[in-house]
Amino acid sequence: MHTGERMKRERWKSGFSEWFDETLWNAKIVETRYPVKGLYVWLPYGLKLRNRVLAIMRELLEKRGHEEMLFPLLIPENLFKKEAEHIRGFEEQVYWVTHGGKDRLDVKLALRPTSETSIYPMFALWIRSHADLPLKVFQVVNIFRYETKMTKPLVRLREVTTFKEAHTAHATPEDAEAQVMAAVEIYKKFFDELGVPYAITKRPPWDTFAGAVYSLAFDTLAPDGRTLQIGTIHNLGQNFAKVYGIKYEREDGSHEHVHQTCYGISERVIAATVMAHGDDLGPCFPPKVAPVQIVVVPIPFKKERNTEEVARKIAEELKATGLRVHFDGRDIRPGRKFYEWERHGIPLRLEIGPKDVNGGQVTTVRRDTGKRFVISLRTLVPDVKKTLEQINEDMRDKAWKSFSENMRELGEIKEIKKAMSTRAGIVRAPWCGKEDCGKELEEKTGGSVLGEELHHKRTGGECPVCSEPAKSSILIAKTY
Ligand code: A5A
Ligand code: ZN
């Protein structure tokens, strides 16, 4: 029955937007009925998922010398408005606190839309000499952005609840540049752990982070063919250091402004995980982050009830090894349990029926493939662990395969325009490197330029706009 269901027209792609909302609800990830637009409630199961994802990020950052801190939510207007470009980029999106009780505040307070302007005045106090550098910190906080595009749970929020932002300061431009590349490696590892495929680009000047010298971005692809920006890395140069006075003393006694970077992700990475591994049944979570990795379901046979006892023991044995296991002993039909846990994206199900009890085995069903097989109780723990690892790998491979299939090389405006008006995907085109050609490409094709592709060597081809020989590749897509 379930295989049959899987064979049907892929509803999760054709009706993606509804599929996504339904999936978040069926899997009990977030509640979307909170009465303020763009604000959502994390449900217990969703929060467990969120915390697993964050644990991976924290470990990656801490292993590479970043220390976690917490800065205040409120930023006084005068500090917020110091960096001119930054404020130009954000002023339409800022929520302001104007009152304390009945009193009008002397200085308005911004709810942080990101934290450069609260963190960097502190950097200015802390950084004294070259010995204080590099300084690498991060925080995981909520931020507020008055988004005017359509809000969507986990994707575009007005209160982003899971904003991980890292901020670094360095002595030289080379060190800052190296940190940007280190951040690229951190994010690659992070998304590989989630099995989320990505393209990395250098954003065009008109899409650079407000106040940055340049921005790199990771984009993934939603099942409807639109891209989703899931992380950014910015080289801030000395722009902020100059307005906030972040200086250090060199060995020769002279003073120099620091060179800075920052990089961020949000709960969008959880949306990306859901999107990367969905199907018509709902989500499938990679075992590495699944709140529950294994559900154990006894299959009672007539009056024989000992399957439940055996199943419970098996669940206990697995749990004792550190696996996240749920034993479902409810007095309802097994079919209903299967249905429910498939929709929670639990990657592995163990069924224990009379035949299994007699044969000293468990029947195992993979959520990602629907494949059913038997594991002997003698090798239960190692076999289950091996299976979970295999699922992680297979899910990542499958997601990357589908991503690559939706990335096309095209060289003519007409073709690109056609691609953008159908199920877009990502188009890779030759590019001369001129900003104007990028802009014109957007206007003529209806797509958005993601930017110049990183880590991609182009040979041959000519710019679809000016016909000059291509220097690199540009990526174009319909974006979220
Ligand atoms: N200070 C830097 C790191 C910064 O704010 N960069 S950013 O504006 O690009 O945001 C970082 C990431 O947060 C984005 O790549 C995007 O994935 C996510 N993000 C931004 N606004 C969001 C929103 N309204 N809802 C959900 N995620 C958002
Ligand atoms: Zn050109």
Side-chain angles (χ1 to χ4, degrees), residues 325-365:
V325 186
H326 178 67
F327 172 75
D328 190 349
R330 288 177 300 171
D331 196 14
I332 56 173
R333 282 194 2 265
R336 266 188 61 194
K337 299 180 185 176
F338 300 168
Y339 183 92
E340 189 176 326
W341 298 125
E342 280 171 342
R343 276 149 192 81
H344 276 71
I346 298 180
L348 196 61
R349 179 171 82 228
L350 304 190
E351 301 173 8
I352 291 99
K355 218 174 116 194
D356 299 300
V357 172
N358 293 333
Q361 63 181 44
V362 295
T363 298
T364 310
V365 184

Side-chain angles (χ1 to χ4, degrees), residues 114 116 145 147 155-157 160 163 209 229-232 234 262-264 266 268:
T114 168
E116 285 73 12
R145 291 185 184 183
E147 298 280 358
V155 171
R156 185 170 289 106
L157 304 86
V160 182
F163 195 65
F209 182 68
Q229 178 188 291
I230 47 175
T232 46
H234 312 289
C262 69
Y263 27 105
S266 75
R268 231 180 240 189

Side-chain angles (χ1 to χ4, degrees), residues 431-432 434 437 463 465-467:
W431 187 41
C432 63
K434 283 188 300 224
C437 287
C463 176
V465 181
C466 71
S467 300

Side-chain angles (χ1 to χ4, degrees), residues 140-151:
V140 182
V141 293
N142 59 345
I143 57 163
F144 292 82
R145 291 185 184 183
Y146 184 67
E147 298 280 358
T148 47
K149 278 197 193 173
M150 193 167 71
T151 52

